[in-house]
């Protein structure tokens, strides 16, 4: 499988394109491109194309939700509104 995704700059992140993988700075749109253009059907294939999920692994639940056609945000995978990290890794404990 050829690598099709370029890593985004963190400066260009928006609420409409949430950061899915904090370790590698991979956004939802990059993962959706891997699914749509790169024909990724599994977390492993998304990881091959984007690196998402290959760091700490805590984003794999959100990658799986995107693969299933669901919104990325859910429960413990949701981002803290205070610090922007996943609620399970919240730095400000506002979650």
């Amino acid at each position: 499988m050829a690598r099709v995704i370029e890593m985004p700059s963190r400066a260009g992140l928006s609420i409409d394109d949430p950061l899915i993988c904090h370790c590698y700075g991979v956004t939802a749109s990059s993962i959706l491109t891997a699914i749509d253009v790169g024909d990724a059907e599994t977390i492993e294939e998304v990881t091959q194309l984007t690196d998402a999920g290959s760091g700490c692994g805590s984003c794999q639940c959100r990658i799986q939700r995107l693969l299933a056609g669901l919104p990325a945000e859910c429960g413990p995978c949701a981002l803290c509104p205070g610090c922007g990290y996943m609620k399970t890794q919240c730095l400000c404990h506002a979650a």
Side-chain angles (χ1 to χ4, degrees), residues 3-89:
R3 191 170 187 80
V4 297
I5 308 301
E6 291 298 320
M7 298 306 289
S9 164
R10 288 184 181 235
L13 295 179
S14 75
I15 197 90
D16 295 329
D17 191 14
L19 187 63
I20 302 300
C21 177
H22 284 271
C23 295
Y24 292 100
V26 182
T27 62
S29 66
S30 293
I31 292 171
L32 292 172
T33 299
I35 294 167
D36 296 338
V37 177
D39 296 324
E41 296 180 352
T42 65
I43 292 173
E44 292 78 17
E45 290 173 347
V46 169
T47 299
Q48 287 177 345
L49 295 171
T50 66
D51 289 332
S54 63
C56 72
S58 65
C59 63
Q60 290 187 4
C61 62
R62 296 193 292 168
I63 295 169
Q64 186 61 51
R65 289 181 58 80
L66 290 171
L67 283 163
L70 300 169
E73 302 299 323
C74 176
C77 292
L79 299 179
C80 170
C83 64
Y85 281 87
M86 286 181 16
K87 289 182 181 180
T88 56
Q89 297 180 333

